[in-house]
Amino acid sequence: MTTGTQADLYSVMHDRKSVRVYDPAATISKEELSEMIKEATSAPSSSNLQPWRFLVIQDTAVKKELRAIANNQEQAETASAVIAVLGDIEMYKKVEQIYTQNVTEGHMPEASKEAMIASTNRVYPNVSDEVRKNIATFDAGLISMQIMLIAKEKGYDTVPMGGFDKEKFAERFELPSNVVPIVLIAVGKAAGPAYGSSRLPMNEILKFI
Amino acid sequence: MTTGTQADLYSVMHDRKSVRVYDPAATISKEELSEMIKEATSAPSSSNLQPWRFLVIQDTAVKKELRAIANNQEQAETASAVIAVLGDIEMYKKVEQIYTQNVTEGHMPEASKEAMIASTNRVYPNVSDEVRKNIATFDAGLISMQIMLIAKEKGYDTVPMGGFDKEKFAERFELPSNVVPIVLIAVGKAAGPAYGSSRLPMNEILKFI
């Protein structure tokens, strides 16, 4: 059940299915894409460090290049846009900025800010790149889910693509060494039906203690 | 805007905030927790392999142990339940089962099934454990976001906890070597206000091409 223009959570979750066939003539404005991503940033992240970065590719010629980098998956070229979700594995370097803003916006007292900065600077620089990459990857999953739900609510379809040449991507788009590509999300107007997919029975994935 | 008992997507997204203070007397039934997790499995996953596994901890004494494993974070003990989200890094071993079910349920023809099984068995066993852990971690992020939104819609609050002793957790709960702990999600009835948190300006996280 929905009212006005907004759909309820469960309908959006149920209706969201991975779509691989898009109308190549459909476009989505930069403004709408920005708005979608901004909405999605309400997702939580480890110590609120927000390691997610986004490179949104709309240019036709660049999408063609991207298709070659993404195992020739058609949707990399035919979707209206591809949102490359990247992770900053030096996310802790923004801790002062983020917690200063938290105080300015009235979310926490100065003492909490200092404690959070101290604990972040004690932990994050001293774990391996791999651990920080895992943190960024998990947080990227959180925000990617919100992006796909928001896109669906707005009448678009999506598909997340993990299978692409991450080295070539980083090289082609000149990512700095602290930024790793995590997933590509194709977003556009579906040009064919969305297929369902099976789910494992609950007793194979869930236990209680 | 909402109708009936279901809240719209954006309200749920905006209202979901990490909560760390819970009513220790509040309980959530196994049935409701199962239902929440089942709803959340509509999330997509890499090759639909659904690497997520869940250990839900409700027992008071075990939650006390969990608090010690989770850097003494109070909510590990006081939340009604802690959903441990785990990742199966041998997720490809269920590929036959999953794709057979896809055919049985009418989602795809037999030929697509065979192609997907072949490509999964070509790729997944031949990448490193670390790559498969990254895949499981990203997919865990996707489903964790849905779990937290669903919990909010049902009137509960949550907080994801990445900071815990993963080795001790694996040991205490006797995880098999192919299953890695990824995140703990505390879920319960808030016993204090949820605080907001700042977000980075869009021009620091988003670029267009």
Side-chain angles (χ1 to χ4, degrees):
Chain A
M1 298 292 292
T2 61
T3 57
T5 56
Q6 301 202 330
D8 77 82
L9 178 70
Y10 295 115
S11 302
V12 178
M13 282 186 180
H14 292 162
D15 292 348
R16 190 219 53 78
K17 291 180 170 68
S18 292
V19 165
R20 292 177 179 80
V21 182
Y22 289 95
D23 173 2
T27 57
I28 309 178
S29 71
K30 276 188 174 47
E31 291 66 31
E32 192 169 13
L33 286 160
S34 294
E35 192 48 49
M36 284 163 48
I37 294 170
K38 189 176 182 180
E39 284 276 355
T41 62
S42 68
S45 58
S46 184
S47 303
N48 195 30
L49 292 175
Q50 310 158 58
W52 43 64
R53 305 289 178 264
F54 305 94
L55 186 64
V56 180
I57 298 152
Q58 296 179 290
D59 183 88
T60 308
V62 183
K63 283 192 292 175
K64 207 178 186 77
E65 283 183 74
L66 195 57
R67 178 174 177 168
I69 292 172
N71 292 328
N72 195 33
Q73 290 177 88
E74 182 184 305
Q75 65 268 19
E77 185 179 353
T78 55
S80 305
V82 175
I83 302 172
V85 184
L86 319 172
D88 182 354
I89 64 169
E90 293 179 353
M91 67 287 252
Y92 59 88
K93 293 189 173 174
K94 286 187 186 284
V95 67
E96 286 240 11
Q97 174 188 348
I98 290 167
Y99 282 90
T100 298
Q101 192 185 344
N102 263 322
V103 172
T104 308
E105 293 178 1
H107 302 310
M108 59 169 57
E110 188 74 23
S112 304
K113 163 191 158 179
E114 294 305 333
M116 282 302 301
I117 292 173
S119 89
T120 300
N121 284 331
R122 197 170 54 237
V123 174
Y124 284 76
N126 295 312
V127 296
S128 67
D129 281 3
E130 199 54 51
V131 167
R132 275 185 271 109
K133 186 181 169 183
N134 269 314
I135 292 171
T137 300
F138 180 78
D139 291 345
L142 297 176
I143 197 164
S144 293
M145 193 72 244
Q146 295 224 117
I147 289 172
M148 293 188 283
L149 293 172
I150 290 166
K152 185 71 205 177
E153 204 279 337
K154 291 187 179 292
Y156 301 114
D157 281 288
T158 55
V159 61
M161 295 178 274
F164 62 100
D165 188 325
K166 298 193 169 66
E167 265 180 56
K168 271 193 196 154
F169 184 95
E171 195 182 299
R172 167 61 184 85
F173 296 104
E174 298 177 347
L175 302 187
S177 61
N178 59 305
V179 175
V180 297
I182 295 174
V183 77
L184 306 175
I185 301 175
V187 53
K189 275 285 176 193
Y195 297 99
S197 54
S198 68
R199 289 298 181 270
L200 292 166
M202 291 301 286
N203 65 11
E204 289 188 30
I205 64 168
L206 173 61
K207 281 182 195 160
F208 282 90
I209 293 188
Chain B
M1 298 293 292
T2 62
T3 57
T5 57
Q6 301 202 329
D8 78 81
L9 177 71
Y10 295 115
S11 301
V12 178
M13 282 185 179
H14 291 163
D15 292 349
R16 188 218 54 79
K17 291 180 171 67
S18 292
V19 165
R20 291 178 180 80
V21 183
Y22 290 96
D23 173 2
T27 57
I28 309 177
S29 72
K30 276 187 175 45
E31 291 65 33
E32 191 170 14
L33 286 160
S34 293
E35 191 49 47
M36 283 163 47
I37 294 170
K38 189 175 182 179
E39 283 276 354
T41 62
S42 67
S45 59
S46 185
S47 303
N48 194 31
L49 293 174
Q50 308 158 61
W52 43 64
R53 305 288 179 266
F54 305 94
L55 186 64
V56 180
I57 297 152
Q58 297 179 290
D59 183 89
T60 307
V62 182
K63 282 191 293 176
K64 208 179 185 76
E65 283 183 75
L66 195 58
R67 178 173 176 169
I69 292 173
N71 291 328
N72 195 32
Q73 290 177 89
E74 181 184 304
Q75 65 268 18
E77 185 178 353
T78 55
S80 304
V82 176
I83 301 172
V85 183
L86 319 171
D88 181 354
I89 64 169
E90 293 179 354
M91 67 287 252
Y92 59 89
K93 293 189 174 174
K94 286 187 186 282
V95 67
E96 286 241 11
Q97 172 189 348
I98 289 167
Y99 281 90
T100 299
Q101 191 186 344
N102 263 323
V103 172
T104 308
E105 294 179 1
H107 301 310
M108 59 169 55
E110 189 73 23
S112 304
K113 164 192 159 179
E114 294 304 333
M116 281 303 300
I117 292 173
S119 89
T120 299
N121 285 331
R122 197 170 54 238
V123 174
Y124 284 76
N126 296 312
V127 296
S128 67
D129 281 3
E130 200 53 52
V131 167
R132 274 185 271 109
K133 185 180 169 184
N134 270 314
I135 292 171
T137 299
F138 180 78
D139 291 344
L142 297 176
I143 197 164
S144 293
M145 193 71 246
Q146 296 223 119
I147 289 172
M148 293 188 284
L149 293 172
I150 290 165
K152 186 69 207 179
E153 204 278 337
K154 291 187 179 294
Y156 300 114
D157 280 289
T158 56
V159 61
M161 296 177 273
F164 62 101
D165 189 324
K166 298 192 170 65
E167 266 179 54
K168 272 193 196 153
F169 184 95
E171 196 181 297
R172 166 62 184 84
F173 296 103
E174 299 177 348
L175 302 188
S177 62
N178 59 305
V179 175
V180 297
I182 295 174
V183 78
L184 306 175
I185 303 175
V187 52
K189 275 285 177 193
Y195 297 99
S197 54
S198 68
R199 288 299 181 270
L200 292 166
M202 291 302 287
N203 64 12
E204 289 188 31
I205 64 168
L206 173 61
K207 280 182 194 162
F208 283 89
I209 292 188

